Amino acid sequence: MPQNLDAVAVRAWCRLALDALGRAREEIDSINVYPVADGDTGTNLYLTVESASQAVDAAFTGHDPALPSLAQTVRAMAHGALIGARGNSGTILSQLLRGMAQVLGGPDTPEGPSGPGGENTSETDHADGRTLERALRRAAESAYEAVAHPVEGTVLTVATAAAEAAEEAQGADCGTVARAAYDGACAALDATPGQLAVLGRAGVVDAGGRGLVAVLGALVGALSGETVSHMSQHRSADGAHARVEAAERDEPCEDLPAEAGGPAFEVIYLLEADDSAVARLRARLDRLGDSLVVVGGDGLWNVHVHVDDAGAAVEAGVEAGRPHRIRITHFGAGDAHTTAQPPLERTQRGIVAVVPGEGLAELYAEAGATTVPTRVGEPPASGELVDAIRRAHAREVVLLPNDAELRHTAAAAAEQARTEGVRVALIPTRSAVQGIAALAVHAPDRRFDEDVVAMTSAAGATRYGELAVAERQSWTMAGICQAGDVLGLIDGDVAVIGSEVAHTAASVLDRMLSAGGEMVTLVLGESVPDAVAGQLEKHVRETYLAVDTVVYRGGRQAALMLIGVE
């Protein structure tokens, strides 16, 4: 059913966009050939939208139990994208979102709605189709303004095409306008290889434009519930090879600077400065390098530039205002993004694991893992995982997300850590009990690849279950549950609905052990008494003679019960 754009729809848009970019991240990375073939556009876009989504979630949490207004939500989205923007593509996307927020945020936002037909979204708390059209137009215009030397065949072209197609919808509902914008963006994306020679030679579409198509597809899903999927006519059969070949091709490219290899460093920082100082900064950085993008406003800016003299780029920021979150990366010959500073001496191998509950955190730490705590409804962001990888201070790191919902977040964190010179292997564990199984076979003196294979095999051979309490009446795979029912999940799906913990857990164990098993692992939440563990151990011992049971305490913030069967 079509709907107008309100705060709830914006939150859904952010979450759907994050999921879409998570699924497309590797593909987008593989076709990244412009402006630098560094293979990180998909990762940068994911990290940028992740920051935007977190800011929106914080806005909802801050207003709970009431809802934030549309204006508050879109401003949070734009601000989150600004402070979390990564790379050229992420910086431009943050400006696109800021441009939309200037219209959707109401008249008290700079350059907000004005003129005939401008709807006051702060009063109606939703935007209609006409307002969304103007928001998309403002987004495209502001992105062009932010780029020092706009190039056609890039995300800028795709954004403009989306705005033009949206305007042709002529004031339809938001779902229809969003679909028109998406279709226009898809057509423009497929045309990019004919507009930018480096794309045509590589046989790929623009990576930033591909990411914007994913974001607009998520907007369609948030407004209409429709699932869209774009298949480019120009995708290379082997995108990764095409990217490398394009980067190494000997013939000259009119799209790129004439200097061999281009600038050596990418410099990014947030800057607190007034508008007049930023105008001077743009001119100075434009003389120093290329790929200059300066986005933001109201005293806070995100600066991105490619230069040979990284120190001069930072000094220019110091003269303009107060730069912080400075990130300098070197476009090295062997690795597109390596840190400019040499790393300190590291240990050979480390384990990083996401763990629910204090008890499990202690268990994992005793096994030598660096832990990332998670709380119910508050999954860690990729930045937290990257920080944990840095804390592990190892040349090689095995990452255990222990949650199926964290697969994209963990993949983005792993990719970011690799740019810092860390060899990261991501084992797709979906529960902490699978992580326990992986840790049990971990051998740091083994070759890294062999260790990862052994840990992956152990985790994959472990079925996982969980007990939870239903919060409301709902349909499940096992039937209708009522609020307060105990739910027994196996491999993520509800398999048993019960009234008390011990009996439900026993039923889950019987189902899991019907396919065989040698070891049962039980992780008890804080509210589950020891007597329940005793009952379950006795049940396993008497019913399955060859099966051993081990019990751990999850402590606070742990699930009601986790069950593993190896």
Side-chain angles (χ1 to χ4, degrees), residues 50-140:
E50 181 184 54
S51 182
S53 183
Q54 289 173 339
V56 169
D57 286 342
F60 272 75
T61 301
H63 288 80
D64 188 59
L67 294 177
S69 67
L70 173 62
Q72 291 165 331
T73 306
V74 295
R75 290 171 194 157
M77 173 184 66
H79 181 74
L82 175 67
I83 64 175
R86 295 295 191 94
N88 184 280
S89 55
T91 306
I92 293 174
L93 178 61
S94 74
Q95 186 69 0
L96 288 166
L97 296 179
R98 177 177 170 81
M100 293 189 70
Q102 287 175 339
V103 174
L104 298 173
D108 54 335
T109 300
E111 301 182 52
S114 60
E119 182 182 10
N120 186 334
T121 56
S122 62
E123 293 179 0
T124 61
D125 214 25
H126 70 263
D128 61 11
R130 290 283 188 190
T131 308
L132 180 56
E133 289 173 17
R134 290 189 291 106
L136 291 167
R137 169 56 68 183
R138 178 60 193 144

Side-chain angles (χ1 to χ4, degrees), residues 93 117 176 194 318 341 361 404 417 435 447 455-456 536:
L93 178 61
T176 303
V318 172
Q341 297 179 346
R447 287 181 54 190
M455 295 176 72
T456 302
L536 295 176

Side-chain angles (χ1 to χ4, degrees), residues 277-309:
V278 170
R280 293 191 297 272
L281 174 67
R282 288 179 192 267
R284 181 171 177 183
L285 291 179
D286 195 26
R287 293 192 296 270
L288 285 175
D290 59 35
S291 297
L292 173 61
V293 184
V294 181
V295 302
D298 304 322
L300 182 63
W301 308 81
N302 192 305
V303 178
H304 170 280
V305 67
H306 294 173
V307 294
D308 281 321
D309 189 344

